[in-house]
Every structure is written in structure tokens, then in C-alpha cells.
Coordinates of all heavy atoms in Angstrom, one line a residue:
S1 N 92.2 -32.5 -10.5 CA 91.7 -33.4 -9.4 C 92.5 -33.1 -8.1 O 93.6 -32.7 -8.2 CB 91.9 -34.9 -9.8 OG 93.3 -35.2 -9.8
P2 N 91.8 -33.2 -7.0 CA 92.5 -32.9 -5.7 C 93.6 -33.9 -5.4 O 93.6 -35.0 -5.9 CB 91.4 -33.0 -4.7 CG 90.4 -33.8 -5.3 CD 90.4 -33.7 -6.8
A3 N 94.6 -33.4 -4.7 CA 95.7 -34.2 -4.3 C 95.3 -35.4 -3.4 O 94.5 -35.2 -2.5 CB 96.8 -33.4 -3.6
Q4 N 96.0 -36.5 -3.6 CA 95.6 -37.6 -2.7 C 96.2 -37.5 -1.3 O 97.2 -36.9 -1.2 CB 96.1 -38.9 -3.3 CG 95.4 -39.3 -4.6 CD 96.0 -40.6 -5.2 OE1 97.0 -41.1 -4.7 NE2 95.4 -41.2 -6.2
K5 N 95.5 -37.9 -0.4 CA 95.9 -37.8 1.0 C 96.6 -39.1 1.4 O 96.3 -40.2 0.9 CB 94.7 -37.6 2.0 CG 94.0 -36.3 1.9 CD 93.0 -36.2 2.9 CE 92.3 -34.9 2.8 NZ 91.2 -34.7 3.8
L6 N 97.7 -38.9 2.2 CA 98.4 -40.1 2.7 C 97.8 -40.6 3.9 O 97.5 -39.9 4.9 CB 99.8 -39.7 2.9 CG 100.8 -40.8 3.4 CD1 100.9 -41.9 2.3 CD2 102.2 -40.2 3.6
V7 N 97.3 -41.9 3.9 CA 96.6 -42.4 5.0 C 97.4 -43.6 5.6 O 97.9 -44.4 4.8 CB 95.2 -43.0 4.6 CG1 94.5 -43.6 5.7 CG2 94.4 -41.9 4.0
F8 N 97.6 -43.5 6.9 CA 98.4 -44.6 7.6 C 97.3 -45.5 8.3 O 96.6 -45.0 9.2 CB 99.3 -44.0 8.6 CG 100.4 -43.3 8.0 CD1 100.4 -41.9 8.1 CD2 101.5 -43.9 7.4 CE1 101.5 -41.2 7.5 CE2 102.5 -43.2 6.8 CZ 102.5 -41.8 6.9
N9 N 97.3 -46.7 7.9 CA 96.4 -47.7 8.6 C 97.2 -48.6 9.5 O 98.3 -49.0 9.2 CB 95.6 -48.6 7.5 CG 94.8 -47.7 6.6 OD1 94.1 -46.8 7.2 ND2 94.7 -48.0 5.4
R10 N 96.6 -48.9 10.6 CA 97.3 -49.9 11.5 C 97.3 -51.2 10.9 O 96.4 -51.6 10.1 CB 96.6 -49.9 12.9 CG 96.6 -48.5 13.5 CD 95.9 -48.7 14.9 NE 95.6 -47.5 15.5 CZ 96.5 -46.8 16.2 NH1 97.7 -47.2 16.3 NH2 96.2 -45.6 16.7
V11 N 98.3 -52.0 11.3 CA 98.4 -53.4 10.7 C 97.2 -54.2 11.3 O 96.9 -54.2 12.5 CB 99.7 -54.0 11.3 CG1 99.8 -55.5 10.8 CG2 100.9 -53.3 10.8
N12 N 96.5 -54.7 10.4 CA 95.2 -55.5 10.8 C 94.2 -54.7 11.5 O 93.3 -55.3 12.1 CB 95.6 -56.8 11.6 CG 96.5 -57.7 10.8 OD1 96.4 -57.8 9.6 ND2 97.3 -58.5 11.5
G13 N 94.4 -53.4 11.5 CA 93.4 -52.5 12.2 C 93.5 -52.6 13.7 O 92.6 -52.1 14.4
K14 N 94.5 -53.3 14.2 CA 94.6 -53.5 15.7 C 95.6 -52.6 16.3 O 96.7 -52.3 15.6 CB 94.9 -54.9 16.0 CG 93.9 -55.9 15.5 CD 94.2 -57.3 15.9 CE 93.2 -58.3 15.4 NZ 93.6 -59.6 15.7
R15 N 95.4 -52.1 17.5 CA 96.5 -51.4 18.2 C 97.3 -52.4 19.0 O 96.8 -53.4 19.6 CB 95.8 -50.5 19.2 CG 95.0 -49.4 18.6 CD 94.4 -48.5 19.6 NE 95.4 -47.6 20.0 CZ 95.2 -46.6 20.9 NH1 94.0 -46.6 21.5 NH2 96.1 -45.8 21.2
Q16 N 98.6 -52.2 19.0 CA 99.4 -53.1 19.8 C 99.5 -52.6 21.2 O 99.5 -51.4 21.5 CB 100.9 -53.1 19.2 CG 101.0 -53.8 17.9 CD 102.4 -53.8 17.5 OE1 103.3 -53.1 18.0 NE2 102.7 -54.7 16.5
Q17 N 99.4 -53.5 22.2 CA 99.5 -53.2 23.6 C 100.9 -52.9 23.9 O 101.8 -53.6 23.6 CB 99.0 -54.3 24.4 CG 97.5 -54.6 24.2 CD 96.6 -53.4 24.7 OE1 96.7 -52.3 24.4 NE2 95.8 -53.7 25.7
V18 N 101.1 -51.8 24.6 CA 102.4 -51.4 25.1 C 102.4 -51.6 26.6 O 101.6 -50.9 27.3 CB 102.7 -49.9 24.7 CG1 104.1 -49.5 25.3 CG2 102.6 -49.7 23.2
L19 N 103.3 -52.4 27.1 CA 103.4 -52.7 28.6 C 104.3 -51.6 29.2 O 105.3 -51.2 28.6 CB 104.0 -54.1 28.8 CG 103.1 -55.2 28.2 CD1 103.9 -56.5 28.4 CD2 101.7 -55.2 28.8
P20 N 103.8 -51.1 30.4 CA 104.6 -50.2 31.1 C 106.0 -50.7 31.5 O 106.2 -51.9 31.7 CB 103.9 -49.8 32.3 CG 102.8 -50.8 32.5 CD 102.6 -51.5 31.1
Q21 N 107.0 -49.9 31.4 CA 108.4 -50.3 31.7 C 108.8 -49.5 32.9 O 108.5 -48.3 33.1 CB 109.3 -50.0 30.6 CG 109.0 -50.8 29.4 CD 109.9 -50.4 28.2 OE1 110.7 -49.6 28.2 NE2 109.7 -51.2 27.0
H22 N 109.6 -50.1 33.8 CA 110.1 -49.4 34.9 C 111.4 -48.7 34.5 O 112.3 -49.3 33.9 CB 110.5 -50.4 36.0 CG 109.2 -51.2 36.5 ND1 108.3 -50.6 37.2 CD2 108.8 -52.4 36.3 CE1 107.3 -51.5 37.5 NE2 107.6 -52.6 36.9
V23 N 111.5 -47.4 34.8 CA 112.6 -46.6 34.4 C 113.2 -45.9 35.6 O 112.5 -45.4 36.5 CB 112.1 -45.6 33.4 CG1 113.3 -44.6 33.0 CG2 111.5 -46.2 32.1
T24 N 114.6 -46.0 35.8 CA 115.2 -45.3 36.9 C 115.3 -43.8 36.6 O 115.2 -43.4 35.4 CB 116.6 -45.9 37.1 OG1 117.4 -45.7 36.0 CG2 116.5 -47.4 37.4
A25 N 115.6 -43.0 37.6 CA 115.7 -41.6 37.4 C 116.8 -41.2 36.4 O 116.7 -40.2 35.8 CB 115.9 -40.9 38.7
S26 N 117.9 -42.0 36.3 CA 119.0 -41.6 35.5 C 118.7 -41.9 34.0 O 119.4 -41.4 33.2 CB 120.3 -42.3 35.9 OG 120.1 -43.7 35.8
E27 N 117.7 -42.7 33.7 CA 117.4 -43.0 32.3 C 116.4 -42.0 31.7 O 115.6 -41.5 32.4 CB 116.8 -44.5 32.2 CG 117.7 -45.6 32.6 CD 117.1 -47.0 32.4 OE1 116.2 -47.0 31.5 OE2 117.4 -47.8 33.2
E28 N 116.5 -41.9 30.4 CA 115.5 -41.1 29.8 C 114.2 -41.9 29.7 O 114.2 -43.0 29.3 CB 116.0 -40.7 28.3 CG 115.1 -39.8 27.6 CD 115.7 -39.4 26.2 OE1 116.8 -39.8 26.0 OE2 115.0 -38.7 25.5
S29 N 113.1 -41.3 30.1 CA 111.8 -42.0 30.1 C 111.0 -41.6 28.9 O 111.0 -40.5 28.5 CB 111.1 -41.7 31.4 OG 110.7 -40.4 31.5
Y30 N 110.3 -42.6 28.4 CA 109.4 -42.4 27.3 C 108.0 -42.8 27.8 O 107.8 -43.8 28.5 CB 109.7 -43.3 26.1 CG 111.1 -43.0 25.6 CD1 112.2 -43.9 25.9 CD2 111.4 -41.9 24.8 CE1 113.4 -43.7 25.4 CE2 112.7 -41.7 24.3 CZ 113.7 -42.6 24.6 OH 114.9 -42.3 24.1
T31 N 107.0 -41.9 27.5 CA 105.7 -42.2 27.9 C 105.1 -43.3 27.0 O 105.6 -43.6 25.9 CB 104.8 -41.0 27.8 OG1 104.7 -40.6 26.4 CG2 105.3 -39.8 28.6
L32 N 104.1 -43.9 27.4 CA 103.4 -44.9 26.5 C 102.9 -44.3 25.3 O 103.0 -45.0 24.2 CB 102.2 -45.6 27.3 CG 102.6 -46.4 28.5 CD1 101.3 -47.0 29.2 CD2 103.5 -47.6 28.1
A33 N 102.4 -43.1 25.3 CA 102.0 -42.4 24.1 C 103.1 -42.2 23.1 O 102.9 -42.4 21.9 CB 101.3 -41.1 24.5
H34 N 104.3 -41.8 23.7 CA 105.4 -41.6 22.8 C 105.8 -42.9 22.1 O 106.0 -42.9 21.0 CB 106.6 -41.1 23.7 CG 107.9 -41.0 22.9 ND1 108.2 -40.0 22.1 CD2 108.9 -42.0 22.9 CE1 109.4 -40.2 21.6 NE2 109.8 -41.4 22.0
E35 N 105.9 -44.0 22.9 CA 106.3 -45.3 22.3 C 105.2 -45.7 21.3 O 105.6 -46.2 20.2 CB 106.5 -46.3 23.4 CG 107.7 -46.1 24.2 CD 108.0 -47.2 25.2 OE1 107.5 -48.3 25.0 OE2 108.7 -46.9 26.2
E36 N 104.0 -45.5 21.5 CA 102.9 -45.9 20.6 C 103.0 -45.0 19.3 O 102.9 -45.5 18.2 CB 101.6 -45.7 21.2 CG 100.5 -46.1 20.3 CD 99.0 -46.0 20.9 OE1 99.0 -45.9 22.1 OE2 98.1 -46.0 20.1
N37 N 103.3 -43.7 19.4 CA 103.5 -42.8 18.3 C 104.7 -43.3 17.5 O 104.6 -43.4 16.2 CB 103.6 -41.4 18.7 CG 102.3 -40.8 19.2 OD1 101.3 -41.3 18.9 ND2 102.5 -39.8 20.0
V38 N 105.8 -43.6 18.1 CA 107.0 -44.0 17.4 C 106.7 -45.3 16.6 O 107.1 -45.5 15.5 CB 108.2 -44.2 18.3 CG1 109.4 -44.8 17.6 CG2 108.6 -42.8 18.8
R39 N 106.1 -46.3 17.3 CA 105.8 -47.5 16.7 C 104.8 -47.4 15.5 O 105.0 -48.0 14.5 CB 105.1 -48.5 17.7 CG 104.9 -49.9 17.2 CD 104.5 -50.9 18.3 NE 105.7 -51.1 19.2 CZ 105.7 -50.7 20.5 NH1 104.7 -49.9 21.0 NH2 106.7 -50.9 21.3
F40 N 103.8 -46.5 15.7 CA 102.9 -46.3 14.6 C 103.6 -45.7 13.4 O 103.4 -46.2 12.3 CB 101.8 -45.3 15.1 CG 100.8 -44.9 14.0 CD1 99.9 -45.7 13.5 CD2 100.9 -43.6 13.4 CE1 99.0 -45.4 12.6 CE2 100.1 -43.3 12.4 CZ 99.1 -44.1 12.0
V41 N 104.5 -44.7 13.6 CA 105.1 -44.1 12.5 C 106.1 -45.1 11.8 O 106.2 -45.2 10.6 CB 105.9 -42.8 12.9 CG1 106.9 -42.3 11.9 CG2 104.9 -41.7 13.3
Y42 N 106.8 -45.9 12.6 CA 107.7 -46.8 12.1 C 106.9 -47.9 11.3 O 107.4 -48.1 10.1 CB 108.4 -47.5 13.3 CG 109.3 -48.7 12.8 CD1 110.5 -48.5 12.2 CD2 108.8 -50.0 12.9 CE1 111.3 -49.5 11.8 CE2 109.6 -51.1 12.4 CZ 110.9 -50.9 11.8 OH 111.6 -51.9 11.4
E43 N 105.9 -48.4 11.8 CA 105.1 -49.5 11.0 C 104.5 -48.8 9.7 O 104.6 -49.5 8.7 CB 104.0 -50.1 11.9 CG 104.6 -50.9 13.0 CD 103.5 -51.4 13.9 OE1 102.3 -50.9 13.8 OE2 103.8 -52.2 14.8
A44 N 104.1 -47.6 9.8 CA 103.5 -47.0 8.7 C 104.6 -46.7 7.6 O 104.3 -47.0 6.4 CB 102.8 -45.6 9.0
W45 N 105.8 -46.3 8.1 CA 106.8 -46.1 7.1 C 107.3 -47.4 6.5 O 107.6 -47.4 5.3 CB 108.0 -45.4 7.8 CG 109.1 -45.0 6.8 CD1 110.3 -45.5 6.7 CD2 109.0 -44.1 5.7 NE1 111.0 -45.0 5.7 CE2 110.2 -44.1 5.0 CE3 107.9 -43.3 5.3 CZ2 110.4 -43.3 3.9 CZ3 108.2 -42.5 4.2 CH2 109.4 -42.5 3.6
Q46 N 107.3 -48.5 7.2 CA 107.6 -49.8 6.6 C 106.6 -50.2 5.5 O 107.1 -50.7 4.5 CB 107.6 -50.9 7.7 CG 108.7 -50.7 8.8 CD 110.1 -50.7 8.1 OE1 110.5 -51.6 7.4 NE2 110.9 -49.7 8.5
Q47 N 105.4 -49.8 5.7 CA 104.4 -50.2 4.7 C 104.6 -49.3 3.4 O 104.6 -49.8 2.3 CB 103.0 -49.9 5.2 CG 102.5 -50.9 6.2 CD 101.1 -50.6 6.7 OE1 100.6 -49.5 6.5 NE2 100.5 -51.6 7.3
V48 N 105.0 -48.0 3.6 CA 105.3 -47.1 2.5 C 106.5 -47.6 1.7 O 106.5 -47.7 0.5 CB 105.5 -45.6 3.0 CG1 106.1 -44.8 1.9 CG2 104.2 -45.1 3.6
E49 N 107.5 -48.0 2.5 CA 108.7 -48.5 1.8 C 108.4 -49.8 1.0 O 108.9 -49.9 -0.1 CB 109.8 -48.9 2.8 CG 110.5 -47.6 3.4 CD 111.7 -47.9 4.2 OE1 111.7 -48.9 4.9 OE2 112.7 -47.2 4.1
Q50 N 107.6 -50.7 1.5 CA 107.2 -51.9 0.8 C 106.4 -51.5 -0.5 O 106.6 -52.0 -1.5 CB 106.4 -52.8 1.7 CG 107.2 -53.5 2.8 CD 106.3 -54.3 3.7 OE1 105.1 -54.2 3.7 NE2 106.9 -55.0 4.6
Q51 N 105.5 -50.6 -0.4 CA 104.7 -50.1 -1.5 C 105.6 -49.5 -2.5 O 105.4 -49.7 -3.8 CB 103.6 -49.2 -1.1 CG 102.6 -49.9 -0.3 CD 101.5 -49.0 0.3 OE1 101.7 -47.7 0.1 NE2 100.5 -49.5 0.9
L52 N 106.6 -48.7 -2.1 CA 107.5 -48.0 -3.0 C 108.4 -49.0 -3.7 O 108.6 -48.9 -4.9 CB 108.4 -47.0 -2.2 CG 109.2 -46.1 -3.0 CD1 108.5 -45.2 -4.0 CD2 110.1 -45.2 -2.1
D53 N 108.8 -50.0 -3.0 CA 109.7 -51.1 -3.6 C 108.8 -51.8 -4.6 O 109.3 -52.1 -5.8 CB 110.1 -52.1 -2.6 CG 111.3 -51.5 -1.7 OD1 111.9 -50.5 -2.1 OD2 111.5 -52.1 -0.7
G54 N 107.5 -52.1 -4.4 CA 106.6 -52.7 -5.3 C 106.4 -51.9 -6.5 O 106.3 -52.4 -7.6
S55 N 106.2 -50.6 -6.3 CA 105.9 -49.7 -7.5 C 107.1 -49.6 -8.3 O 107.0 -49.4 -9.6 CB 105.4 -48.4 -7.0 OG 106.4 -47.6 -6.3
Q56 N 108.3 -49.6 -7.8 CA 109.5 -49.5 -8.6 C 109.8 -50.8 -9.4 O 110.3 -50.8 -10.5 CB 110.7 -49.3 -7.7 CG 110.8 -47.8 -7.2 CD 111.9 -47.6 -6.1 OE1 112.5 -48.6 -5.7 NE2 112.2 -46.3 -5.8
R57 N 109.2 -51.9 -8.9 CA 109.3 -53.2 -9.7 C 108.2 -53.3 -10.6 O 108.1 -54.3 -11.4 CB 109.3 -54.3 -8.7 CG 110.6 -54.5 -8.0 CD 110.7 -55.8 -7.2 NE 109.6 -56.0 -6.3 CZ 109.5 -55.8 -5.0 NH1 110.5 -55.4 -4.4 NH2 108.4 -56.1 -4.3
G58 N 107.2 -52.3 -10.6 CA 106.1 -52.4 -11.6 C 104.9 -53.1 -11.1 O 103.9 -53.4 -11.8
E59 N 104.9 -53.5 -9.8 CA 103.8 -54.3 -9.2 C 102.6 -53.4 -8.9 O 101.4 -53.8 -9.1 CB 104.2 -55.0 -7.8 CG 105.3 -56.0 -8.0 CD 105.8 -56.5 -6.7 OE1 105.3 -56.2 -5.7 OE2 106.9 -57.2 -6.8
N60 N 102.8 -52.2 -8.4 CA 101.6 -51.3 -8.1 C 101.7 -50.1 -9.0 O 102.7 -49.5 -9.2 CB 101.8 -50.7 -6.7 CG 101.8 -51.9 -5.6 OD1 101.2 -52.9 -5.9 ND2 102.4 -51.6 -4.5
V61 N 100.6 -49.9 -9.7 CA 100.4 -48.7 -10.6 C 100.3 -47.4 -9.8 O 100.9 -46.4 -10.0 CB 99.3 -48.8 -11.6 CG1 99.2 -47.7 -12.4 CG2 99.6 -50.1 -12.4
C62 N 99.5 -47.5 -8.7 CA 99.2 -46.2 -8.0 C 99.6 -46.5 -6.5 O 98.8 -46.9 -5.8 CB 97.7 -45.8 -8.1 SG 96.6 -47.1 -7.7
G63 N 100.9 -46.2 -6.3 CA 101.4 -46.3 -4.9 C 102.1 -45.0 -4.6 O 101.9 -44.0 -5.2
P64 N 102.9 -45.1 -3.5 CA 103.6 -43.9 -3.1 C 104.6 -43.5 -4.2 O 105.1 -44.3 -5.0 CB 104.3 -44.3 -1.8 CG 104.4 -45.7 -1.8 CD 103.2 -46.1 -2.7
V65 N 104.9 -42.2 -4.3 CA 105.9 -41.6 -5.3 C 107.0 -41.0 -4.5 O 106.8 -40.2 -3.6 CB 105.2 -40.6 -6.2 CG1 106.2 -39.9 -7.1 CG2 104.0 -41.1 -6.9
Q66 N 108.2 -41.4 -4.9 CA 109.4 -40.9 -4.2 C 109.7 -39.5 -4.8 O 110.0 -39.4 -6.0 CB 110.6 -41.9 -4.3 CG 111.8 -41.4 -3.5 CD 112.9 -42.5 -3.5 OE1 112.7 -43.6 -4.1 NE2 113.9 -42.2 -2.7
Y67 N 109.9 -38.6 -4.0 CA 110.3 -37.2 -4.4 C 111.8 -37.1 -4.4 O 112.5 -37.5 -3.5 CB 109.7 -36.1 -3.5 CG 110.2 -34.7 -3.8 CD1 109.6 -34.1 -4.8 CD2 111.2 -34.2 -3.0 CE1 110.0 -32.7 -5.1 CE2 111.6 -32.9 -3.4 CZ 111.0 -32.2 -4.4 OH 111.5 -30.9 -4.7
V68 N 112.4 -36.6 -5.5 CA 113.8 -36.5 -5.7 C 114.0 -35.0 -6.1 O 113.4 -34.6 -7.1 CB 114.4 -37.5 -6.7 CG1 115.9 -37.3 -6.8 CG2 114.1 -38.9 -6.3
E69 N 114.9 -34.3 -5.4 CA 115.2 -32.9 -5.8 C 116.0 -33.0 -7.1 O 116.9 -33.7 -7.4 CB 116.2 -32.4 -4.7 CG 115.6 -32.0 -3.4 CD 114.9 -30.7 -3.4 OE1 115.1 -29.9 -4.4 OE2 114.2 -30.4 -2.4
K70 N 115.6 -32.0 -8.0 CA 116.3 -31.9 -9.3 C 117.6 -31.2 -9.1 O 118.6 -31.5 -9.8 CB 115.4 -31.2 -10.3 CG 114.2 -32.1 -10.7 CD 113.3 -31.3 -11.7 CE 112.2 -32.3 -12.1 NZ 111.0 -31.7 -12.5
T71 N 117.6 -30.3 -8.2 CA 118.9 -29.5 -7.8 C 119.1 -29.7 -6.3 O 118.5 -28.8 -5.6 CB 118.8 -28.1 -8.2 OG1 117.6 -27.4 -7.7 CG2 118.8 -27.9 -9.8
P72 N 119.8 -30.7 -5.9 CA 119.9 -30.9 -4.4 C 120.6 -29.7 -3.7 O 121.5 -29.0 -4.3 CB 120.8 -32.1 -4.4 CG 120.8 -32.7 -5.7 CD 120.5 -31.7 -6.7
N73 N 120.2 -29.6 -2.5 CA 120.8 -28.5 -1.7 C 122.2 -28.9 -1.3 O 122.5 -29.9 -0.7 CB 119.9 -28.3 -0.4 CG 120.4 -27.2 0.5 OD1 121.6 -26.8 0.5 ND2 119.5 -26.8 1.4
P74 N 123.2 -28.0 -1.6 CA 124.6 -28.4 -1.3 C 124.9 -28.5 0.2 O 125.8 -29.2 0.6 CB 125.4 -27.3 -2.0 CG 124.5 -26.2 -2.4 CD 123.1 -26.8 -2.4
G75 N 124.1 -27.8 1.0 CA 124.2 -27.8 2.4 C 123.9 -29.2 3.0 O 124.3 -29.6 4.2
L76 N 123.2 -30.0 2.3 CA 122.8 -31.4 2.7 C 123.6 -32.5 2.1 O 123.3 -33.6 2.2 CB 121.3 -31.6 2.4 CG 120.3 -30.6 3.1 CD1 118.9 -30.9 2.6 CD2 120.4 -30.8 4.6
K77 N 124.7 -32.1 1.4 CA 125.5 -33.1 0.7 C 125.9 -34.2 1.7 O 126.0 -35.4 1.2 CB 126.7 -32.3 0.1 CG 127.6 -33.3 -0.7 CD 128.7 -32.5 -1.4 CE 129.9 -32.4 -0.5 NZ 131.0 -31.9 -1.1
N78 N 126.3 -33.9 2.9 CA 126.8 -34.9 3.8 C 125.8 -35.4 4.9 O 126.1 -36.0 5.8 CB 128.0 -34.4 4.6 CG 129.2 -34.1 3.7 OD1 129.4 -34.8 2.7 ND2 129.9 -33.0 3.9
F79 N 124.5 -35.1 4.6 CA 123.5 -35.5 5.4 C 123.3 -37.0 5.5 O 123.3 -37.7 4.4 CB 122.1 -34.9 5.0 CG 121.0 -35.4 5.8 CD1 120.8 -34.9 7.1 CD2 120.1 -36.3 5.3 CE1 119.6 -35.4 7.8 CE2 119.0 -36.8 6.0 CZ 118.8 -36.3 7.3
V80 N 123.2 -37.6 6.7 CA 123.0 -39.0 6.8 C 121.8 -39.2 7.7 O 121.7 -38.8 8.8 CB 124.2 -39.7 7.5 CG1 124.0 -41.1 7.7 CG2 125.5 -39.5 6.7
P81 N 120.7 -39.8 7.1 CA 119.5 -40.0 7.9 C 119.7 -41.0 9.1 O 120.6 -41.8 9.0 CB 118.5 -40.5 6.9 CG 119.3 -41.1 5.8 CD 120.6 -40.4 5.8
I82 N 119.0 -40.9 10.1 CA 119.1 -41.7 11.3 C 118.5 -43.1 10.9 O 117.5 -43.2 10.3 CB 118.4 -41.1 12.5 CG1 118.7 -42.0 13.8 CG2 117.0 -40.9 12.3 CD1 118.2 -41.4 15.1
D83 N 119.1 -44.1 11.4 CA 118.7 -45.5 11.2 C 117.8 -45.8 12.5 O 118.4 -46.1 13.6 CB 119.8 -46.4 11.1 CG 119.4 -47.9 10.9 OD1 118.2 -48.2 11.1 OD2 120.2 -48.7 10.4
L84 N 116.5 -45.7 12.4 CA 115.8 -45.9 13.7 C 115.9 -47.3 14.2 O 115.9 -47.5 15.4 CB 114.2 -45.7 13.3 CG 113.9 -44.2 13.2 CD1 112.4 -44.1 12.9 CD2 114.2 -43.4 14.5
E85 N 116.0 -48.3 13.4 CA 116.2 -49.7 13.9 C 117.5 -49.8 14.8 O 117.5 -50.3 15.8 CB 116.2 -50.7 12.8 CG 114.9 -50.9 12.2 CD 114.9 -51.9 11.1 OE1 115.9 -52.7 10.9 OE2 113.9 -52.0 10.3
E86 N 118.6 -49.2 14.2 CA 119.8 -49.2 14.9 C 119.7 -48.4 16.2 O 120.2 -48.8 17.3 CB 120.9 -48.6 14.0 CG 122.3 -48.5 14.7 CD 122.9 -49.8 15.1 OE1 122.5 -50.8 14.4 OE2 123.7 -49.9 16.0
W87 N 119.0 -47.2 16.1 CA 118.9 -46.4 17.4 C 118.1 -47.1 18.5 O 118.5 -47.1 19.6 CB 118.2 -45.1 17.0 CG 118.1 -44.1 18.1 CD1 119.0 -43.3 18.5 CD2 117.0 -44.0 19.1 NE1 118.6 -42.5 19.6 CE2 117.4 -42.9 19.9 CE3 115.7 -44.5 19.2 CZ2 116.5 -42.5 21.0 CZ3 114.9 -44.2 20.2 CH2 115.3 -43.1 21.1
W88 N 117.1 -47.8 18.1 CA 116.2 -48.5 19.1 C 117.0 -49.7 19.6 O 116.9 -50.0 20.8 CB 114.9 -49.0 18.4 CG 113.8 -48.0 18.4 CD1 113.3 -47.3 17.4 CD2 113.1 -47.4 19.6 NE1 112.4 -46.4 17.8 CE2 112.3 -46.4 19.1 CE3 113.2 -47.6 21.0 CZ2 111.5 -45.7 20.0 CZ3 112.5 -46.9 21.8 CH2 111.6 -45.9 21.3
A89 N 117.8 -50.3 18.8 CA 118.6 -51.4 19.2 C 119.6 -50.9 20.3 O 119.8 -51.6 21.3 CB 119.3 -52.1 18.1
Q90 N 120.3 -49.8 20.0 CA 121.2 -49.2 21.0 C 120.5 -48.8 22.3 O 121.0 -49.1 23.4 CB 121.8 -48.0 20.4 CG 122.8 -48.4 19.3 CD 123.3 -47.1 18.6 OE1 123.0 -45.9 19.0 NE2 124.2 -47.2 17.6
Q91 N 119.3 -48.3 22.2 CA 118.5 -48.0 23.4 C 118.2 -49.2 24.2 O 118.4 -49.2 25.5 CB 117.3 -47.2 23.1 CG 117.4 -45.9 22.4 CD 118.1 -44.9 23.3 OE1 117.7 -44.7 24.5 NE2 119.2 -44.2 22.8
F92 N 117.8 -50.2 23.5 CA 117.4 -51.5 24.1 C 118.7 -52.1 24.9 O 118.6 -52.5 26.0 CB 116.9 -52.5 23.1 CG 116.6 -53.9 23.7 CD1 115.4 -54.0 24.4 CD2 117.4 -54.9 23.4 CE1 115.1 -55.3 24.9 CE2 117.0 -56.2 23.8 CZ 116.0 -56.3 24.6
L93 N 119.8 -52.2 24.2 CA 121.1 -52.7 24.8 C 121.5 -51.9 25.9 O 122.0 -52.4 27.0 CB 122.1 -52.8 23.7 CG 121.9 -53.8 22.6 CD1 123.0 -53.8 21.6 CD2 121.8 -55.2 23.2
A94 N 121.4 -50.5 25.9 CA 121.7 -49.7 26.9 C 120.9 -50.0 28.2 O 121.4 -50.0 29.3 CB 121.6 -48.2 26.6
K95 N 119.6 -50.2 28.0 CA 118.7 -50.5 29.1 C 119.1 -51.9 29.8 O 119.1 -52.0 31.0 CB 117.3 -50.6 28.7 CG 116.6 -49.2 28.4 CD 115.2 -49.3 28.1 CE 114.6 -48.0 27.8 NZ 113.2 -48.0 27.5
I96 N 119.5 -52.8 28.9 CA 119.9 -54.1 29.4 C 121.2 -54.0 30.3 O 121.3 -54.5 31.4 CB 120.1 -55.1 28.3 CG1 118.7 -55.5 27.7 CG2 120.8 -56.4 28.8 CD1 118.9 -56.3 26.5
E97 N 122.2 -53.2 29.8 CA 123.4 -53.0 30.4 C 123.2 -52.3 31.7 O 123.9 -52.6 32.7 CB 124.4 -52.3 29.5 CG 124.9 -53.0 28.4 CD 125.7 -52.2 27.4 OE1 126.0 -51.0 27.7 OE2 126.2 -52.9 26.4
N98 N 122.3 -51.3 31.8 CA 122.0 -50.5 33.0 C 121.3 -51.4 34.0 O 121.5 -51.1 35.3 CB 121.2 -49.3 32.7 CG 122.0 -48.3 32.0 OD1 123.2 -48.2 32.0 ND2 121.4 -47.4 31.3
C99 N 120.6 -52.4 33.7 CA 119.9 -53.2 34.6 C 120.7 -54.3 35.2 O 120.4 -54.9 36.2 CB 118.7 -53.9 33.9 SG 117.3 -52.8 33.5
S100 N 121.8 -54.7 34.5 CA 122.7 -55.8 35.0 C 123.8 -55.3 35.9 O 124.0 -54.2 36.2 CB 123.2 -56.6 33.9 OG 123.9 -55.8 33.0

């Protein structure tokens, strides 16, 4: 049988409105499209994590499957993934500090 495709659906099928933000020349600017893409990936990943948690508890029979290397790459031994929530919080606080 063909491999299943991973499909990301928007929450309630609705797009969230992103309001334009005023950015000074010294700040890194993000386009509305960039922010929408980041929000979309973040929300989709949150859904995958919820489904993965549910499948590990036996709630979902056919949900996402977590891939685990049988022989991990030793070069990635000290790899630490970025915490997007923490990163966005730092960006938000930096903008607040720069505005005051």
C-alpha cells in the first residue's frame, strides 16, 4: 500500500489574522507571510505532538509514528533542539524592551 501523506489542517479550518507590526531599522523584521508560516508550522506540530501522546497512551491506533534511530549518530550526541516557545518569548521581550 502507498505511504500515508502527512496533512496539516488549520485549527477549525480558519486562518488567523496577523496584524502588521511597526519595526525599527535596527530590529530584525519578519514579513506577515513569515509569521503566518511559523504559526502554521507551530500549530501543526502541536497537533502532531498531541496525537503522538495519545497514540503512546493507546488512545489512537493510527496516528503519527515517532522515528527513533537504532544506531544514533555520535556527532549528534550533544544536539539540543531549539525551544520555539522560549525563542518567541525572548523575541517578544526584546521588542518590549526596545520600545520602552
